């Protein structure tokens, strides 16, 4: 009796007929099946490579970024801020802990702006009117701009706000001690405290 | 239980056809009466909460979403068109803010592939079943044969197995 | 103690590898002693893995915060059940849990089948051991759950607040039991392919293990939905999140397999297809584990970006290539002996069912990985959200529902078209009347109307099957209706159990359609004494309640619910603030009735004006989803329960029964 399954290759009634088929027909469906599996695995491999690009790491060069500030001026990390100590602060107007550190950031910036330190505020997932109002409210004067398309926060693997990265004069991410382990973390998670930041900046500005 | 009163096939077809028609009319009327979402909701339904995955702006009440919604309201009041609003949000938050990718360019593939898959599946099943239909006339006489003992046994077996 | 735990997994790995090698070598070299040794080694490996899990439980319960995993998932004052369930509350532990369940399955398989399948079992064992060895390797080299900290913290950080919920007890274990369970059918399939013994024995064994895994996975998926509904507080139960999709994918292929395997048992057809489905199911299980742990696709559930990705991808590649290679190698042995005999036959409808299930699977898989693909080729991150899935999967599920409705109308081997149409008339009329009634009652959304009509149709045809069968039995035996129904089901468990599952799916379908198309939502800020309206409910805010323990602070907004002017009770949606994790959870209060759920959350707190913002949802018919879940489990148990020996029914009665249900 004949047989029917999902495709003709498999429905060949007898061995003899199978053998009589041209080789390409005999291998057509197995080839297609194998091909699909290989393409699937290939895509996953590529996806893994894309996703596997590591975020900022302590001691490694900081990912470059450029943004348009709220006042309309462009700013690029590598071009405009080379040789300076850079404090990159991710914030949002809806973020309550950010408000805890807002004044402190401005204060510290005022204290260190003449010692080769630049603060950059990056506005993370926010709405423009509220963001501007926030800057007004806290009188933040350091360069500040929206993270259009969430590109920078993605580059920096930002998981929430506030997060603060510090970049040294050589353009590398400064490693910070992580609680509980001997390893270092590349960022402050949560609001920074005055002592932490000031101590770090003193050390970095004095370093060559 | 329906007793086999009528044997004429066309009549059944006609009845079923009429039913289908009545049903379609009903559906048609329903379509015309579907309630209208509010203007702002039509936009927020198409946008994602940028922070919580898999939730639309409509469903989300976290602060940033509330801010985004009020921004949309402001823009609508200022006479900005829906498309411009969507575009603005894409620039602000990236493509991922749209909960359905715009069907242009590469992203068209997200729709095309399942369609191709379904069509291919349908063709495969159709081919398999057509082979059956083709063979059918030859088998037709078998159906009129009286049930042999062996068949009864098989029926019983089937019942037991199912 | 932690070091002993680590030692256990290292030894377990060694035993698994030893078992794998000796089983394969023993069976190829025909050395029964080695095969036996391999089997015992498998039991030892499984035992050691279980031992490691018990050791972890011991560490968790004794709050040994020196162990990093314990410090990260428990804290003082965390309730006992959460401390126990912390075993699967984070990555390393959940991998250990995975291995432990696999160990459990391995032990059961070996004990249950030790005297059968003498030729298959060694191979199946080695495939099981291959999987176990892989997971233990990950534990030993990449994610040691017994890793120690350099110091002893005074307290741990506690379990992720999202997981601090009663569902944690049952949802993940069910899901894992389902996921891991598919390793067994895969192992037997591989064994059958390797030995070339592709007769019916392996498929019978495989069917039962697939049913077991499928039942757990069904429960796991449904409980996951319930969990999201009860804890996440956005009013929905399914968000097409990658992790949810990962659990759905193997469920779909397994569902297809459960159906098409009947065609193989009965007709000897679709052998290659069934093999593909088994392999696909297992592949999707590993893929799902990969997806949720590699960080390839971001998800709210996903464990953080990790170096596990390449390991899992490597393993996935290995098993897929092995399986596909074997299928191709054995494809001549897998040819069908039979054919579909009629267009209008159960075989044909199962074929359709398979196409639809695999279609859904493909669409979901594609939608899930598409953001990744898009990022590879265009560099843009995009979202493929619920609208995509609803638009692609919705219609396919609707078609599936329709096919399901046809099933009782047609038998194996087929019916003539005329007979089929004749059987169709009653259900069609009933559906028509029902749809009209729904329309008059106010169901005006066209997709909802279609969805409800399909549920109605399938419900009608399936329930008729029970009714007609009962009537026929009563006529034949004179039993009372209840007795007749019970006997009817009992004599034909597989069939009627299956139909019960179909009715369960109708329930779930009703719930989904109702809640998708008719949900309402109102958000309003209330000061004490004020009230808000939603549907025919009036919610009056009574006041704020607070309480706190070591782990969290709870804040309840008490609301008096009246419906149609009548007070029906007080509900208290709450916000839980988890101190250690610095995270707020919004826990809804749900008032559930068969007609609809009233679902209220505290959306915001304004301490200055002493007001709370509430979001109230009405989710119609949601309860039917959970009812359907219960029925689904019941039906599956009835269908899968091993049949007791019994006297064969007299032919005449059986035929009468059959005839009566067909006409």
């Amino acid at each position: 009796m004949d047989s029917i399954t999902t495709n003709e290759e498999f429905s060949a009634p007898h061995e003899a007929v199978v053998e009589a088929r041209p080789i390409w027909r005999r291998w057509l469906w197995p080839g297609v099946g194998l091909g699909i599996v290989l393409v699937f695995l290939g895509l996953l491999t590529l996806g893994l490579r894309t996703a596997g690009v590591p975020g900022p790491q302590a001691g490694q060069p900081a990912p470059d970024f450029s943004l348009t500030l709220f006042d309309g001026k462009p700013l690029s990390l590598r071009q405009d801020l080379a040789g300076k100590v850079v404090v990159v602060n991710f914030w949002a107007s809806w973020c309550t802990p950010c408000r805890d550190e807002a004044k402190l950031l401005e204060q510290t910036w005022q204290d260190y702006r003449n010692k080769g330190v630049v603060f950059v505020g990056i506005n993370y997932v926010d709405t423009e009117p509220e963001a501007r109002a926030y800057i007004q409210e806290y009188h933040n004067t350091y360069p500040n701009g929206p993270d259009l398309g969430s590109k920078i926060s993605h580059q920096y693997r930002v998981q929430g706000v506030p997060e603060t990265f510090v970049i040294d004069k050589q353009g590398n991410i400064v490693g910070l001690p992580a609680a509980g382990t001997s390893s270092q973390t590349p960022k402050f998670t949560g609001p920074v405290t005055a002592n932490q930041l000031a101590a770090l900046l003193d050390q970095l500005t004095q370093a060559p | 239980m329906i007793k086999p009163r009528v044997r004429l096939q066309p009549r059944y077809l006609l009845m079923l056809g009429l039913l289908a028609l009545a049903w379609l009319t009903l559906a048609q009327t329903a379509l015309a009466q579907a309630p209208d979402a509010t203007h702002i909701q039509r936009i927020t339904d198409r946008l994602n909460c940028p922070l919580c995955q898999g939730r639309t702006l409509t469903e989300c009440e976290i602060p940033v979403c509330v801010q985004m919604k009020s921004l949309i309201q402001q823009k609508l009041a200022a006479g900005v068109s829906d498309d411009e609003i969507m575009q603005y949000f894409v620039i602000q938050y990236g493509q991922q803010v749209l909960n359905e990718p715009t069907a242009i360019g590469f992203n068209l593939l997200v729709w095309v592939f399942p369609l191709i898959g379904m069509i291919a599946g349908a063709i495969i099943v159709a081919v398999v079943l057509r082979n059956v239909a083709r063979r059918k006339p030859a088998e037709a006489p078998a159906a009129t044969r009286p049930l042999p003992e062996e068949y009864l046994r098989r029926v019983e077996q089937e019942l037991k197995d199912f | 103690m932690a070091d002993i735990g680590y030692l256990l997994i290292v030894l377990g790995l060694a035993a698994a590898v030893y078992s794998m090698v000796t089983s394969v070598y023993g069976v190829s070299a025909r050395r029964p002693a080695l095969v036996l040794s391999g089997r015992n080694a498998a039991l030892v490996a499984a035992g050691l893995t279980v031992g490691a899990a018990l050791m972890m439980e011991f560490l968790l319960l004794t709050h040994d915060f020196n162990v990093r995993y314990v410090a990260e998932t428990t804290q003082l004052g965390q309730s006992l059940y959460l401390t126990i369930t912390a075993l699967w509350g984070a990555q390393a532990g959940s991998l250990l849990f995975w291995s432990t369940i696999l160990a459990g399955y391995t032990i059961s398989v070996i004990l249950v089948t030790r005297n059968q399948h003498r030729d298959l079992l060694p191979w199946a064992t080695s495939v099981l051991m291959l999987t176990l060895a892989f997971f233990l390797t990950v534990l030993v080299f990449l994610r040691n759950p017994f890793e120690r900290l350099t110091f002893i913290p005074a307290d741990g950080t506690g379990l992720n607040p999202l997981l601090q919920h009663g569902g944690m007890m049952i949802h993940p274990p069910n899901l894992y039991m389902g996921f891991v369970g598919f390793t067994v059918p895969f192992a037997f399939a591989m064994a059958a392919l390797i030995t070339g013994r592709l007769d019916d024995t392996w498929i019978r064994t495989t069917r039962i293990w697939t049913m077991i895994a499928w039942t757990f996975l069904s429960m796991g998926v449904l409980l996951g939905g319930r969990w999201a509904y009860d804890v996440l507080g956005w009013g929905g139960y399914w968000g097409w999140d990658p992790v949810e999709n990962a659990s759905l994918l193997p469920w779909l292929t397994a569902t297809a397999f459960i159906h098409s395997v009947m065609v193989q048992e009965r007709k000897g057809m679709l052998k290659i297809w069934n093999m593909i489905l088994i392999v696909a199911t297992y592949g999707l299980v590993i893929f799902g584990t990969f997806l949720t742990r590699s960080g390839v696709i971001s998800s709210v559930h996903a464990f953080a970006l990790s170096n596990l990705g390449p390991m899992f991808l490597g393993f996935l590649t290995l098993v897929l290539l092995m399986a596909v290679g074997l299928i191709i190698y054995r494809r001549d042995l897998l040819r069908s002996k039979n054919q579909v005999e009629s267009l209008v036959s159960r075989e044909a409808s199962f074929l359709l069912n398979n196409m639809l299930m695999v279609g859904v699977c493909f669409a979901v898989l594609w939608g899930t990985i598409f953001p990744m693909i898009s990022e590879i080729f265009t560099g843009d991150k995009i979202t493929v959200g619920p609208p995509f899935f609803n638009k692609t999967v919705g219609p396919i599920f609707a078609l599936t529902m329709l096919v399901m409705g046809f099933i009782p109308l047609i038998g194996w081997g087929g019916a003539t078209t005329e007979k089929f149409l004749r059987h169709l008339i009653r259900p069609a009329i009933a559906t028509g009347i029902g749809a009209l009634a729904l329309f008059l009652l106010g169901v005006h959304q066209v997709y909802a109307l279609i969805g409800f009509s399909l549920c109605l149709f399938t419900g009608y045809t399936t329930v008729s099957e029970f009714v007609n069968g009962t009537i026929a039995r009563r006529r034949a035996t004179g039993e009372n209706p209840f007795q007749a129904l019970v006997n009817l089901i009992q004599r034909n468990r597989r069939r009627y159990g299956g139909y019960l599952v179909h009715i369960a799916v109708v329930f779930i379908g009703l719930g989904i359609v109702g809640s998708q198309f008719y949900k309402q939502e109102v958000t309003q800020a209330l000061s004490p004494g004020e009230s808000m309206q939603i549907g025919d409910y009036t919610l009056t805010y009574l006041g704020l309640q607070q309480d706190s323990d070591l782990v969290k602070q709870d804040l309840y907004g008490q609301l008096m619910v009246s419906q149609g002017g009548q007070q029906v009770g007080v509900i208290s949606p709450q916000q839980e603030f988890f101190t250690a994790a610095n995270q707020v959870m919004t826990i809804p209060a749900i008032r559930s009735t068969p007609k609809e759920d009233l679902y209220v959350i505290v959306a915001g707190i304004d301490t200055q004006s002493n007001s709370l913002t509430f979001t109230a949802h009405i989710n119609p018919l949601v309860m039917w989803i959970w009812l359907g879940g219960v029925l689904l489990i019941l039906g599956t148990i009835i269908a899968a329960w091993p049949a007791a020996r019994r006297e064969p029914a007299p032919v005449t009665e059986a035929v009468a029964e059959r005839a009566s249900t067909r006409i």
Side-chain angles (χ1 to χ4, degrees):
Chain A
M1 233 194 220
D2 251 359
S3 59
I4 294 169
T5 53
T6 48
N7 63 56
E8 288 185 44
E9 164 64 22
F10 299 140
S11 65
H14 303 293
E15 287 295 307
V17 180
V18 174
E19 296 307 328
R21 282 186 170 175
I23 285 187
W24 72 267
R25 282 222 54 177
R26 191 162 151 64
W27 286 95
L28 176 65
W29 286 105
V32 169
L34 195 63
I36 291 173
V37 170
L38 288 177
V39 167
F40 178 65
L41 291 169
L43 282 175
L44 291 184
T45 314
L46 283 174
L48 205 56
R49 280 183 51 189
T50 315
V53 178
Q57 276 166 357
Q60 297 295 311
D64 191 23
F65 62 81
S66 45
L67 75 167
T68 309
L69 304 176
F70 281 117
D71 59 17
K73 287 184 202 135
L75 179 79
S76 156
L77 177 68
R78 207 151 287 168
Q79 272 178 19
D80 303 331
L81 306 174
K84 299 197 167 161
V85 174
V86 185
V87 176
V88 182
N89 174 249
F90 289 88
W91 64 279
S93 65
W94 44 262
C95 145
T96 344
C98 297
R99 292 175 185 269
D100 295 345
E101 63 172 8
K103 276 194 186 129
L104 169 72
L105 287 174
E106 176 62 22
Q107 189 55 52
T108 319
W109 148 250
Q110 293 298 351
D111 293 349
Y112 285 87
R113 60 184 301 180
N114 297 323
K115 299 179 188 166
V117 176
V118 179
F119 277 52
V120 181
I122 297 181
N123 187 212
Y124 168 81
V125 184
D126 209 342
T127 43
E128 211 179 320
E130 281 83 0
R132 286 181 185 279
Y134 179 98
I135 294 174
Q136 289 259 304
E137 185 184 342
Y138 292 98
H139 310 291
N140 282 0
T141 55
Y142 51 85
N144 221 324
D147 178 15
L148 289 188
S150 300
K151 289 214 164 69
I152 305 171
S153 44
H154 181 233
Q155 258 182 315
Y156 276 77
R157 299 277 187 273
V158 170
Q159 284 160 324
V161 273
E163 278 187 11
T164 307
F165 293 85
V166 182
I167 301 166
D168 65 17
K169 287 178 185 166
Q170 283 73 38
N172 294 327
I173 299 271
V174 176
L176 306 161
T181 55
S182 52
S183 63
Q184 286 190 314
T185 148
K187 65 190 173 193
F188 291 105
T189 307
V192 291
T193 62
N195 295 340
Q196 271 177 330
L197 200 56
L200 188 65
L201 291 179
D202 281 338
Q203 187 195 330
L204 287 172
T205 45
Q206 276 151 29
Chain B
M1 279 177 288
I2 299 176
K3 298 214 173 68
R5 289 173 300 238
V6 195
R7 257 153 236 220
L8 269 179
Q9 196 181 327
R11 200 185 283 188
Y12 289 115
L13 275 176
L14 190 70
M15 273 179 78
L16 282 170
L18 279 176
L19 263 170
L21 200 69
W23 192 83
L24 275 177
T25 326
L26 203 61
Q28 190 57 42
T29 338
L31 196 60
Q33 295 191 0
D36 206 20
T38 57
H39 193 172
I40 177 155
Q41 201 187 337
R42 277 207 300 275
I43 296 174
T44 54
D45 273 345
R46 289 164 62 197
L47 293 171
N48 279 323
C49 161
L51 296 181
C52 17
Q53 201 180 359
R55 223 184 279 192
T56 64
L57 210 50
T58 317
E59 295 162 337
C60 191
E61 291 296 330
I62 67 166
V64 65
C65 293
V66 175
Q67 284 177 211
M68 285 167 76
K69 282 188 251 194
S70 84
L71 188 62
I72 296 173
Q73 200 98 58
Q74 285 166 30
K75 285 188 182 287
L76 282 177
V80 183
S81 78
D82 289 17
D83 283 346
E84 282 167 341
I85 294 180
M86 300 300 276
Q87 238 155 33
Y88 171 83
F89 277 101
V90 169
I91 292 170
Q92 287 289 316
Y93 308 106
Q95 284 281 337
Q96 34 187 335
V97 79
L98 301 177
N99 73 25
E100 193 180 323
T102 27
I104 42 163
F106 185 81
N107 291 343
L108 210 57
L109 286 182
V110 76
W111 295 103
V112 170
F113 259 61
L115 203 66
I116 293 178
M118 284 315 288
I119 292 172
I123 290 175
I124 289 173
V125 172
V127 165
V128 172
L129 294 181
R130 203 191 50 183
N131 288 349
V132 180
R134 224 192 269 140
R135 220 170 283 117
K136 238 189 149 186
E139 284 179 341
T144 56
R145 276 202 315 253
L147 295 176
E149 193 68 11
E150 208 263 336
Y151 179 72
L152 284 180
R153 257 205 307 283
R154 242 180 63 198
V155 168
E156 193 200 350
Q157 185 61 40
E158 268 189 27
L159 266 167
K160 226 166 60 188
D161 290 349
F162 192 79
Chain C
M1 292 307 257
D3 297 332
I4 299 178
Y6 186 66
L7 189 66
L8 288 176
I9 47 178
V10 172
L11 290 175
L13 174 59
V17 172
Y18 171 82
S19 163
M20 192 167 75
V21 173
T22 34
S23 295
V24 170
Y25 179 70
V27 75
S28 347
R30 300 181 192 289
R31 305 257 299 267
L34 277 183
V35 171
L36 194 67
S37 161
R39 197 181 81 187
N40 292 337
L43 289 173
V44 170
L48 288 167
T49 311
V50 174
L54 291 175
M55 179 59 75
M56 180 51 94
E57 283 297 354
F58 175 78
L59 295 170
L60 288 167
L61 288 170
T62 52
H63 291 301
D64 188 341
F65 293 130
N66 184 222
V67 179
R68 177 197 279 273
Y69 188 80
V70 177
E72 283 173 358
T73 56
T74 60
Q75 68 191 107
L76 298 171
Q78 185 166 303
S79 64
L80 180 66
Y81 83 88
L82 287 176
T83 306
I84 295 172
T85 55
L87 174 61
W88 50 85
Q91 196 175 56
S94 74
L95 289 168
L96 176 60
F97 188 53
W98 220 102
S99 318
T100 309
I101 291 181
L102 184 58
Y105 271 113
T106 305
I107 295 171
S108 330
V109 167
I110 291 178
L111 293 186
V112 170
T113 38
R114 68 177 175 277
N115 296 322
Q116 309 157 27
H117 317 307
R118 279 178 196 286
D119 39 357
L120 289 184
L121 196 56
W123 290 104
T125 308
S126 62
V127 175
L128 287 169
M129 283 302 111
L130 174 69
T131 311
L132 186 63
F134 167 71
F135 277 90
L136 292 179
T137 306
V138 171
L139 286 173
V140 169
F141 295 106
L142 290 181
R143 284 287 182 283
N144 174 15
F146 297 101
E147 185 192 343
R148 290 210 262 171
L149 293 167
T150 49
F151 62 105
I152 303 178
D155 194 359
T157 45
L159 200 59
N160 179 348
L162 275 177
L163 306 178
Q164 303 212 13
H165 174 255
M168 185 68 183
M169 278 295 254
I170 44 174
H171 162 60
N174 268 304
L175 206 58
Y176 279 74
M177 289 286 281
F179 251 53
V180 182
F182 289 121
T183 314
V184 181
F186 176 77
F188 275 100
M190 289 302 104
L193 282 174
I194 293 169
T195 55
R197 298 198 46 133
L198 291 157
D199 50 12
D200 284 349
T201 29
W202 83 271
I203 205 95
R204 226 170 291 138
T205 313
T206 305
R207 190 185 81 87
I208 291 168
W209 289 102
T210 308
M211 290 283 273
I212 293 173
W214 184 86
T215 312
F216 281 117
L217 186 57
S218 306
M219 278 197 273
V221 169
L222 283 162
L223 287 167
R226 182 68 200 239
W227 185 352
Y229 190 68
D230 284 351
V231 174
L232 297 184
W234 57 284
Y237 40 82
W238 190 264
W240 295 109
D241 177 270
V243 173
E244 290 166 338
N245 294 350
S247 67
L248 185 65
L249 291 170
W251 186 87
L252 290 164
T253 46
T255 308
F257 174 78
I258 286 172
H259 289 89
S260 67
V261 76
M262 287 191 248
V263 180
Q264 173 165 354
E265 282 178 278
R266 218 162 264 277
K267 298 269 176 182
M269 301 185 324
L270 302 180
K271 284 184 180 174
I272 288 193
W273 179 239
N274 284 328
M275 225 15 132
I276 291 174
L277 285 177
I278 287 274
V279 171
T281 306
Y282 181 69
L284 288 170
V285 164
I286 301 294
F287 168 74
T289 323
F290 161 78
L291 194 69
T292 49
R293 284 177 174 75
S294 64
V296 173
I297 285 161
S298 58
S299 151
V300 271
H301 296 67
F303 297 93
L305 196 68
S306 70
N307 53 1
L308 292 181
M311 282 286 280
F312 273 92
L313 187 56
F315 183 64
L316 183 64
T317 309
L318 175 76
V319 291
L320 279 186
L321 290 185
M322 175 177 86
V324 172
L326 279 169
I327 293 179
I328 292 175
Y329 173 63
R330 291 288 187 199
R331 66 192 192 281
D332 291 341
L333 280 177
L334 289 165
R335 284 177 207 294
S336 298
K337 298 195 192 78
N338 263 310
Q339 63 180 55
V340 178
E341 281 158 4
S342 158
L343 272 176
V344 188
S345 67
R346 218 161 256 193
E347 298 91 297
S349 59
F350 279 18
L351 223 63
L352 267 177
N353 151 292
N354 266 249
M355 187 204 94
L356 296 171
M357 282 295 153
V358 173
V360 173
C361 183
F362 178 69
V364 173
L365 178 63
W366 182 247
T368 309
I369 63 171
F370 193 76
M372 178 194 90
I373 295 174
S374 172
E375 200 181 348
I376 295 173
F377 292 103
T378 67
D380 275 342
K381 279 181 106 57
I382 61 159
T383 310
V384 178
F388 167 81
F389 293 103
N390 293 341
K391 281 180 199 169
T392 49
V393 170
I396 312 182
F397 270 138
L399 275 178
T400 314
M401 187 66 91
L402 187 67
V403 173
M404 238 167 67
F406 287 150
I407 295 278
L409 307 178
I410 46 189
W412 289 101
T416 60
T417 315
E418 187 186 354
K419 226 164 126 193
F420 172 67
L421 286 173
R422 203 166 60 214
H423 291 155
L424 198 55
I425 279 202
R426 268 200 175 191
I429 291 174
T431 308
I433 293 172
L436 185 67
L438 283 172
F439 182 77
L440 294 177
L441 284 171
V443 178
H444 290 168
Q445 289 202 39
V446 68
Y447 295 118
L449 202 55
I450 292 176
F452 282 133
S453 306
L454 288 172
C455 291
L456 209 66
F457 173 74
T458 303
Y460 183 92
T461 57
T462 314
V463 171
S464 304
E465 193 74 345
F466 285 90
V467 174
N468 292 340
T470 309
I471 293 174
R473 257 202 89 82
R474 279 196 69 190
R475 277 215 194 118
T477 61
E479 293 162 332
N480 71 43
F482 179 72
Q483 220 176 1
L485 179 65
V486 170
N487 282 332
L488 180 79
I489 294 174
Q490 204 162 26
R491 298 186 81 87
N492 241 311
R493 290 209 199 110
R494 229 176 127 175
R495 173 177 175 173
Y496 288 102
Y499 283 145
L500 278 179
V501 173
H502 283 191
I503 294 176
V505 175
V506 170
F507 281 7
I508 295 173
L510 282 177
I512 292 174
V513 175
S515 56
Q516 280 294 308
F517 291 97
Y518 288 97
K519 55 182 176 206
Q520 300 173 43
E521 191 190 317
V522 175
T523 300
Q524 206 168 316
L526 299 179
S527 298
E530 291 181 336
S531 46
M532 64 193 277
Q533 292 282 335
I534 181 165
D536 61 347
Y537 293 98
T538 308
L539 308 175
T540 312
Y541 177 37
L542 300 175
L544 202 62
Q545 297 268 315
Q546 285 182 359
D547 78 60
S548 64
D549 58 25
L550 277 175
V551 177
K552 59 183 201 273
Q553 293 167 346
D554 289 350
L555 196 146
Y556 307 85
Q558 288 194 312
L559 290 167
M560 167 64 74
V561 183
S562 347
Q563 193 174 12
Q566 206 124 46
Q567 292 195 349
V568 289
V570 175
I571 56 172
S572 311
Q574 52 181 306
Q575 284 211 335
E576 298 179 341
F577 178 73
F578 285 83
T579 334
N582 191 20
Q583 202 169 332
V584 176
M585 291 286 299
T586 305
I587 307 290
I590 304 168
R591 194 170 177 284
S592 211
T593 63
K595 184 174 161 249
E596 65 202 9
D597 281 13
L598 174 67
Y599 182 106
V600 187
I601 60 166
V602 177
I605 302 167
D606 188 344
T607 37
Q608 258 129 53
S609 68
N610 195 23
S611 74
L612 288 192
T613 305
F614 292 96
T615 300
H617 302 253
I618 288 183
N619 298 322
L621 303 178
V622 168
M623 193 196 260
W624 293 90
I625 297 178
W626 321 127
L627 286 177
V630 175
L631 188 61
L632 184 133
I633 306 307
L634 189 74
T636 320
I637 290 173
I638 289 177
W641 203 259
R645 272 170 215 281
R646 59 173 204 267
E647 297 292 307
V651 171
T652 44
E653 190 195 329
V655 171
E657 199 174 280
R658 182 181 171 81
S660 65
T661 51
R662 288 281 152 260
I663 300 296

